[in-house]
Each structure stands twice: as C-alpha cells, then as structure tokens.
C-alpha cells in the first residue's frame, strides 16, 4: 500500500495491483474540500451548470462523486462574476460535492467560429452572439476561481489529431508556457487543486518533455490531453501504454474526454484514475441505453411492445418503474421524460461499471469484463 498526500489536507491510498496485466491499475480516494472522490472515477459532464435532464440530487443517487462544469460556456452565460456574486457554482446549481472545470481552450476550438491563437491566449467570438472574448492562462484560472471549482484545469492547447511532429512540438511547448502561467495565477487553498494537462500528441518524446515541464510546476494532479480527438482506440492505448507512467504515481491521473466502457477499462488497466465523457448523457438523450446486453437503441421498433425493463436488476427509475415499450414511445414522441429516464439509466450504468472496477482492483481480481 502506498499512501501519499494528494490535496494538502488529505491522504490517498493506492492499492497497487499484483496481477501483471493490471499492475498499473489502482483504486484510491481523493479527498477534497467538497468531499471524497473514489477512483477510478467517472465524472458526468454538466457543461452549463447542469447535467442535462438530471436534477443534481438524481445525479447523486447514481453514485457520482464529482461532476464537470465548463469555463467557456459559463463565462459567456451567465458570466463568472455573476456566478461568484450569487455564491459560486456549487450554490448556483445546488451541487455540494466536488466540481471540476475544464479551462476553456478546448471548447473555444470546437465551438467558437472565429478565433485567433496568440502567445497571450485565445481571442474568439462568442458562438452565441458573436461578441469578442479573450481566454488566457490568467483569465481562465481566475474564472475557475470565481466559479469556485474544486479542481481547476490549467489552460492548454489541445493538439489536433493528426499533427506533424513539428506541429505537435510547438503546440506542446505553448501548453508548457501556458501551464506555467496558469500555475502562477492559481490561488491555492486547502482541499482545492489544479491539474496540469500534458500534450504531445502520439509522439513519446514530446509526451515526456510535456510531463517533465509540468511536473516541475508541482500540480495536485495531471491530465492527459490531446486524446479522444479522433485517433481511435488502438492509437490511444498505444500512447497510454507509456504516458501515465511519466506522471507522478502518487497523484491523480485524468484522461480527458474518455469514453466508452471498453475505453475506460483499457485506460484503467494502464494507470488512469479519472474520466469524463458526454457519451452516457448525450447518447441517452438520443435514445441509446447502455446495458449488460450491449447498447439498446430504444427507438428500434422491436421495442414498441417490449414490456420488460432495460435491465431487470438495475435500480434506476427507468428500470424499476418502466418498460422498454414506454421508453421507446417517450423517445419517439420526444417527451422530456424520455431524455430524463434514459440519461438517468446511463449514468447509473457508468457508475456501476466504475464501482465494479474499484471492487475488482481492491480484491486483486482481473476486470477485463466488458460490462
Ligand atoms: C475536454 C477535453 C477532451 C479531450 C482533450 C482535451 C484537451 O486536450 N484539453 C482540454 N482542456 N480538454 C480536453
Ligand atoms: Zn436502469
């Protein structure tokens, strides 16, 4: 057992795995100002201060310890200063457990129409009304402070895939300079943390340089960025075969934007502790349910008279009180309750997967199951 201080006031126990294939898998607890995070952990995405179609108390019943918010969206509407004046994001959205906010650069690149990357930061036009904004390591870090994030992400540039070695190198070097400025701008408090994000695309020497630059800044945790950007599972795992080992063994490792159950299992086996992905919520709203029998596309007409639940032993309201026929109908007629029940089931499914993974690691058992 290795126990180390993660967030200032806290301890984290890592139970190293004996089994060779799983020796990098670890189960632990991150203690923060807003409560514990059991890892490996899946973080539901609550982009605009809400996990879409869910009440925060419903998210809590699924077993989620922490949810994500987004700097980009919240700075545009309702504005970080306003959220701060109203008591911070925890109070605003009635979520008292840990909150992690992404730093906004990734969202600017994927959402805003016009943008310009300079050494200072990213200048962009809001995708809502076209008004001009700037996000920099300093402003992103300040916005996350105003929101009251438990875990603040450093301001990075997500290197697109594919990128040439030169493109990936200069992008990674910019991220290292921005990480230094982010770290300097961070107001550190007990039980709060800031995570650095390593880049370097698929090039192992760039990944190493990125890790060395960020380890010098002594972040409370580290994220692996620049994956889940179209490289595919095989290449992602190839990077994950070495990248997590470049990071301090005694700090949380967060793989951003991942992923499907099989991606999560493979990444845990390679030493990742934290995940976030829109798949359970977005696909739930689109009528896809994750079950132990595989993904159920509830809109398929074969379910229109299916009087059985998605999963007979699932404790979520969709499975306890309703049938696939009813869910099929709700989603077909675009009733809001359809989005709610499908989302609730998928979030419960992802949290059950994480719980089983944590239990298997703690018992020293293999967890190759594709749940
Ligand atoms: C959300 C997300 C997904 C995937 C990759 C990234 C990344 O590289 N950097 C940031 N800040 N966020 C990411
Ligand atoms: Zn269910």
């Amino acid at each position: 057992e290795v126990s180390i201080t993660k967030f200032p006031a806290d301890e984290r126990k890592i139970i190293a795995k004996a089994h060779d294939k799983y020796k990098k898998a670890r189960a632990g607890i991150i203690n923060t100002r807003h409560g514990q995070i059991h890892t490996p952990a899946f973080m539901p995405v609550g982009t605009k201060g809400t996990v879409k179609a869910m009440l925060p108390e419903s998210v809590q019943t699924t077993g989620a310890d922490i949810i994500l918010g987004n700097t980009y969206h919240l700075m545009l509407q309702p504005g970080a200063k306003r959220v701060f004046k109203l008591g911070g994001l925890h109070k605003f959205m009635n979520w008292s457990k840990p909150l992690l906010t992404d730093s906004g650069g990734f969202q600017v690149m994927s959402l805003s129409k016009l943008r310009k990357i300079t050494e200072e930061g990213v200048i962009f036009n809001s995708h809502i009304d076209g008004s001009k904004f700037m996000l920099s390591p300093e402003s992103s870090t300040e916005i996350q402070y105003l929101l009251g994030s438990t875990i603040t992400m450093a301001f990075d540039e997500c290197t697109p895939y594919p990128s040439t070695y030169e493109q990936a190198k200069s992008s990674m070097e910019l991220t290292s300079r921005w990480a230094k400025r982010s770290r300097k701008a961070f107001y550190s408090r007990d039980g709060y943390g800031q995570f650095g994000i390593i880049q370097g695309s698929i090039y192992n020497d760039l990944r190493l340089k990125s890790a060395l630059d960020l380890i010098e800044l002594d972040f409370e945790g580290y994220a692996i960025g620049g994956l889940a950007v179209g490289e595919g599972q095989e290449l992602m795992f190839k990077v994950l075969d070495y990248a997590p080992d470049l990071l301090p063994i005694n700090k949380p490792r967060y793989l951003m934007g991942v992923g499907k159950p099989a991606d999560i299992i493979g990444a845990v086996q390679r030493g990742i502790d934290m995940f976030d992905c829109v798949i359970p919520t977005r696909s739930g709203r689109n009528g896809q349910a994750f079950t132990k029998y595989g993904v159920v596309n509830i809109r398929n007409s074969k379910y229109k008279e299916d009087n059985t639940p998605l999963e007979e032993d699932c404790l979520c309201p969709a499975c306890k009180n309703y049938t696939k026929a009813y869910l099929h109908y709700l989603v077909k007629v675009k009733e809001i309750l359809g989005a709610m029940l499908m989302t609730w089931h998928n979030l419960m499914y992802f949290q059950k997967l994480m719980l089983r993974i944590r239990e298997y690691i703690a018992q020293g058992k293999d967890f190759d199951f594709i749940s």
Side-chain angles (χ1 to χ4, degrees), residues 310-311 314-320 344-346 348 352:
L310 286 169
E311 286 183 314
C314 177
L315 298 175
C316 88
C319 296
K320 269 192 324 201
W344 199 325
H345 169 77
N346 281 351
M348 183 75 96
K352 269 190 304 195

Side-chain angles (χ1 to χ4, degrees), residues 24 161 198-208 223-229 231-247 255 266-267 270-272:
K24 296 179 182 176
Y161 177 81
I198 67 161
Q199 296 290 340
S201 188
I202 58 169
Y203 307 103
N204 53 8
D205 59 324
L206 298 182
R207 285 283 179 187
L208 172 60
I224 297 180
L227 291 178
V229 286
E231 75 282 357
Q233 188 188 74
E234 196 183 338
L235 253 181
M236 180 173 80
F237 282 170
K238 210 158 156 254
V239 173
L240 293 177
D241 281 339
Y242 65 86
D245 301 326
L246 307 175
L247 300 171
L255 176 56
R270 291 166 173 82
I272 299 295

Side-chain angles (χ1 to χ4, degrees), residues 68 70 102-107 153-159 197-199 207 223-229 254-258 276:
L68 247 67
N70 250 310
D102 198 355
S103 42
F106 178 82
Q107 289 74 26
M153 298 309 290
F155 190 68
D156 66 326
E157 184 190 46
C158 175
T159 308
I197 305 174
I198 67 161
Q199 296 290 340
R207 285 283 179 187
I224 297 180
L227 291 178
V229 286
Y254 164 24
L255 176 56
M256 304 187 87
V258 175
D276 88 270

